[in-house]
Amino acid sequence: MILRRLHAGDASSVQAVEEATMSVPWTAAQIEGELCFPASLGFAAEIDGQLVAFALFRTCPPECELLRVGVYPHQRRKGLASSLLTFGSKHCIQLGCQVCFLEVRASNMAALQFYAALGFHLDGRRKRYYTNPEEDALLLHRDLN
């Protein structure tokens, strides 16, 4: 496995992972726009030269937000997401970030267990935040220090 920074040219590969994993996937143009945004950091996991997982962060030191994380279903349970989040968090720390926030669907028990194992804690709830289906978002944070 190779971990590396994403660049705008990766947008279509990231979008393919989005299509395979998200109920409301971002378009390649949205992803490219995010990757070109100065406060954004994106990271990829590659296996045999293929992008199989990604994580997108937005930084505003002393905070950052995990915007998206996706792993192809056939590549799950191999530590890719945790490796990406550790790798990404180190980059965010270098930029002066001390805490990371994220939102997750309230029904996504696998993600909630994953984030709890990484040290994220519940902060609150946003009612009817998600669509397709409509659902609450849980707000989580983790100290990066």
Side-chain angles (χ1 to χ4, degrees):
M1 172 182 55
I2 295 172
L3 299 177
R4 65 169 178 83
R5 288 282 303 266
L6 285 169
H7 50 81
D10 291 314
S12 62
S13 296
V14 171
Q15 204 277 328
V17 178
E18 283 265 332
E19 285 287 333
T21 60
M22 305 291 182
S23 63
V24 183
W26 283 5
T27 66
Q30 287 173 301
I31 295 162
E32 183 176 357
E34 186 63 37
L35 292 173
C36 291
F37 187 66
S40 290
L41 291 174
F43 304 95
E46 290 183 349
I47 295 178
D48 298 327
Q50 296 284 324
L51 190 148
V52 297
F54 73 93
L56 294 174
F57 292 83
R58 176 130 349 135
T59 62
C60 186
E63 300 174 356
C64 66
E65 181 179 4
L66 177 62
L67 299 176
R68 310 287 276 189
V69 60
V71 179
Y72 272 125
H74 68 281
Q75 295 290 348
R76 291 183 179 159
R77 316 258 342 136
K78 297 180 180 180
L80 297 172
S82 58
S83 294
L84 278 169
L85 295 191
T86 299
F87 188 70
S89 293
K90 288 179 183 177
H91 282 79
C92 292
I93 290 167
Q94 290 173 350
L95 294 173
C97 297
Q98 299 171 6
V99 63
C100 184
F101 294 94
L102 64 84
E103 295 146 349
V104 63
R105 285 182 180 272
S107 68
N108 192 341
M109 299 318 274
L112 288 166
Q113 290 174 346
F114 169 72
Y115 293 131
L118 291 177
F120 282 88
H121 303 282
L122 181 65
D123 283 327
R125 178 182 293 260
R126 287 194 174 127
K127 292 286 191 184
R128 298 181 306 275
Y129 180 80
Y130 290 107
T131 60
N132 196 26
E134 186 176 279
E135 186 172 357
D136 294 354
L138 298 181
L139 308 173
L140 308 175
H141 86 279
R142 179 184 115 179
D143 291 332
L144 296 177
N145 299 328

